[in-house]
Structure formats: structure tokens, C-alpha cells
């Protein structure tokens, strides 16, 4: 069995494209050696991330990510055990949701279309459905995100 975690959070740091590329490179290097995969989504100052892999390794990584000061109001949406990962061949896929009328924030970070296709094909799987809804701009589950709103006023 593998651990599957899905959380969402609010961005609390003004990431440049370079910062985001560096984060993904570092995450991919670590995740590859820990056998962890998943996908990081960004939409209008919010993150959603899927983490999948060995139970103890994913739980440990999530604890580290949750205390990362670059985001806030980290809320766990799904904590499950599954036979198979939803995204088997991805160390950490990436996609940014379009925000109406605005240019992509991280235009230089390559979208993983293969991972997006897998989410589409996963049909009614609740994790895939939650991630697809996030990318379509649906309200983020679990409310909150006061810190992200505060950040909007500060920036
Ligand atoms: C939104 C977000 C997602 C992240 N995802 C990962 C990840 O998938 N894998 C990873 O190793 N680090 C990830 N990180 C970085 C970790 O929070 C942390 O900085 C990194 O693991 C290094 O930990 P350390 O400073 O305790 O050594 C992420 C950070 C953020 C803000």
C-alpha cells in the first residue's frame, strides 16, 4: 500500500519563476530518491499538492512541507492508503491554472500535460476530481486562507 495525501495552502512568499523552478528541481531530486510522486498545482496565490509514495516517507515529507514558511494555512484534504498511485510516473508534476484575463505567473515552468491527461482519465476519482476543480478555479475546500488574503494586501 502507498500513502496518498492531498493538501491545499496559501502562498506566503512572492515566488519568481526562478524560485518555482528551484523548488521543483529540489523537490524532484528529493522525491525521486524517496520514491515519492505527485503533482503541485498553483492557482491565483493558492497551492494544491498531491503526494504519493511509501507511507512513512510521505508522512515525513508532508510534515516538512507543512512547516515551510513560504506558504500558510496548509490544510489536509485527503489522507488515504491506495494500492496504486494516481500519477505513477511523476516525481512532482506541475500545472498552473489560468486566471481569467491574466498572464500565467510561472510561464517559464513547463506544464506536465501527461499528468493532466491522467487526471482527466481518472474520471470520478475524488482526488483527481478535486484537483481538476482547483485548476478550473472552483472554491478551495475547507475555507480559511486568511493568510493568503493578508498577503494580497501586503504585496
Ligand atoms: C508548496 C510547496 C511544495 C513543496 N513540495 C516539496 C516536495 O514535493 N518535495 C520536497 O522535497 N520538498 C518540497 N517542498 C520544500 C519543502 O517544504 C522543504 O523546503 C524541503 O523539503 C527542504 O527541507 P529542509 O529545509 O528541512 O531540508 C515544497 C515547498 C512548498 C512551499
Amino acid at each position: 500500500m502507498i500513502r496518498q495525501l492531498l493538501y491545499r495552502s496559501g502562498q506566503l512568499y512572492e515566488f519568481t519563476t526562478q524560485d518555482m523552478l528551484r523548488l521543483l528541481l529540489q523537490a524532484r531530486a528529493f522525491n525521486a530518491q524517496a520514491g515519492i510522486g505527485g503533482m503541485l498545482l498553483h492557482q491565483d496565490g493558492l497551492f494544491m499538492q498531491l503526494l504519493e509514495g511509501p507511507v512513512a516517507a510521505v508522512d515525513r515529507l508532508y510534515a516538512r512541507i507543512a512547516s515551510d514558511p513560504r506558504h500558510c494555512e496548509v490544510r489536509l484534504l485527503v489522507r488515504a492508503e491506495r494500492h496504486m498511485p494516481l500519477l505513477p510516473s511523476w516525481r512532482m508534476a506541475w500545472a498552473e491554472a489560468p486566471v481569467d484575463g491574466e498572464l500565467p505567473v510561472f510561464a517559464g515552468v513547463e506544464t506536465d500535460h501527461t499528468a493532466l491527461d491522467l487526471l482527466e482519465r481518472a474520471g470520478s476519482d475524488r482526488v483527481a476530481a478535486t484537483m481538476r476543480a482547483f485548476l478550473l478555479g472552483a472554491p478551495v475546500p475547507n475555507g480559511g486562507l486568511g493568510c493568503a488574503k493578508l498577503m494580497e494586501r501586503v504585496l
Side-chain angles (χ1 to χ4, degrees), residues 86 113-124 128 132:
L86 185 62
H113 291 285
T114 313
L116 288 178
D117 288 348
L118 286 175
L119 287 186
E120 284 300 326
R121 275 188 264 137
S124 60
R132 288 198 306 263

Side-chain angles (χ1 to χ4, degrees), residues 64-98:
R64 222 162 65 211
I65 293 174
S67 63
D68 192 314
R70 291 173 290 182
H71 60 173
C72 56
E73 293 188 345
V74 180
R75 298 276 188 275
L76 194 55
L77 304 176
V78 174
R79 184 169 188 266
E81 290 193 5
R82 287 174 61 124
H83 291 290
M84 295 285 291
L86 185 62
L87 301 178
S89 58
W90 290 93
R91 291 169 297 163
M92 189 46 59
W94 161 266
E96 179 182 333

Side-chain angles (χ1 to χ4, degrees), residues 7 23 27 30-31 47 49 61 64-65 68 70-71 92:
Y7 75 84
L23 188 152
F30 175 83
N31 297 1
F47 289 113
Q49 188 175 26
L61 174 60
R64 222 162 65 211
I65 293 174
D68 192 314
R70 291 173 290 182
H71 60 173
M92 189 46 59

